[in-house]
Amino acid sequence: MQELLSTKLHDETRQGETFSMDTIDLNLPLKNFYIESYGCAMNFADSEVVASILHKEGFGSVKEPALADLILINTCSIREKAEDTVRKRLTEFRKFKKTNPGLIVGVLGCMAERLKGTFIEQEKLVDIVVGPDAYRSLPGLIEEAYTGQKGVNVLLSREETYADISPIRLNSNGVTAFVSIMRGCNNMCSFCVVPFTRGRERSRDALSIVQECEALFNEGYREVTLLGQNVDSYNFIVTRYKTKDIVQKTVTFANLLEMVALISPELRVRFSTSHPKDITDEVLFTIQKYENICNYIHLPVQSGSSRILQLMNRTYSREWYLAKVDRIRELIPDCGISTDMITGFCTETEEDHQASLSLFDYCKYDLAYLYYYSERPGTLAERRFEDDVPLDIKKRRLQELVDLYREHSLRTMQKEVGKTFKILVEGFSKKSEEQLQGRTDQNKVVIIAKDNFKKGDYVYVKITHCTAGTLFGEVIN
Ligand code: SAM
Ligand code: SF4
Ligand code: F3S
């Protein structure tokens, strides 16, 4: 599942790169950092901003924690399990401190924001704690840590978007990249810790987003995913000064999508996540208008029961959500739709659960991220409601959803056999270097024989067979 994925990140772009002397703080020796990221795509994108900040300070990246002078762990608080994984990993880092007493260990991200200074008291091994809006202060905190002082900066900001920092692509395939377009969230879903760990919503300068996407395209990237917790509420005011007049123009998410799509028809544009209450017809018409904006929408529903949706403070009902799905399919008939769903939220009955199953039956999602409810300290739900669904029932309901989803996905994939899709090749398949892997517009993975194709190529593929998760095909270019 997406948030439980952990990836050891490393920086391949550093090899052969030259540094301008004026960007290196000569007081700091060239040191190595290792960064490990957990959580959502936004956290992975943040690690790339952190890598860029550290590079400017003369740090080089390594692939193994054993080789590092600085170990950073970019954490997630979304569920208890995600936090447990981080604690376990920190325990494993203890051994490196024994062999390298000068080693600095830093905790970044949402768990740093949630637990603040208590982290340093509880986890003796941790030297610095830095929240998602405070990464610019990392060099100073690291320098202090080398002198033996522990440091915490978890100030949340109303303005920080790191718009001027060019992320260093970590673990990149050179074809697809994430681009953050906003930070924070104002929605206050009752189960969710994100508004507390990421702060108020703010949109990044539209021109800096377009410039970053253009630069990626010029470097050979062929797909960008625009990231935000709620991309449809993107709103940036561009101010221009014309002689004595000030001209202001609001850039909506639909405008931004169009600006990025216009960079080149060869650049695919994806985005995530859409809140069902905010996605507009204007966005759907923009997707319709540009062939390079992928026909794929991640539209988390969370529950199929209107009563539970109200307790979750999602601000839409089951009927409203289904009408939105119908509208998407009316305007973009072949649109892939994916979702997130939580089982066992406070007071959820069997009847509510059946409503979630029947919603699944109706929507026939192309992809679903399914979780059981995990109470998070400080959230509205923790303060207002009792976490009263026993764990075994939460898990049983989750399993029923997983089973239904598997049944649907095999059938959905089987319907694609015989059809032709344009796919963007992303690299070798996980199983063999004789095969390549790419994605359809609707985000489905397709495997083809390698032949003379390479990553970054667009190819037309006729689907010959499938499993529940993967399509296999032959190129018909
Ligand atoms: N902003 C997105 C939205 O509005 O749907 C989702 C953001 S959240 C990082 C990703 C998913 O984690 C949510 O859609 C939800 O399904 C799940 N999630 C969040 N809090 C949770 C909790 N306390 N227990 C279980 N799952 C949770
Ligand atoms: Fe959390 Fe809701 Fe914001 Fe998504 S929209 S990040 S679920 S509060
Ligand atoms: Fe986790 Fe924070 Fe993302 S809580 S899901 S890393 S915004």
Side-chain angles (χ1 to χ4, degrees), residues 3 38-43 75-78 110 193-194 197-198 229:
E3 280 80 25
Y38 294 84
C40 60
M42 301 209 66
N43 236 24
T75 61
C76 173
S77 283
I78 202 83
C110 291
V193 79
V194 172
T197 60
R198 294 258 165 183
Q229 289 299 352

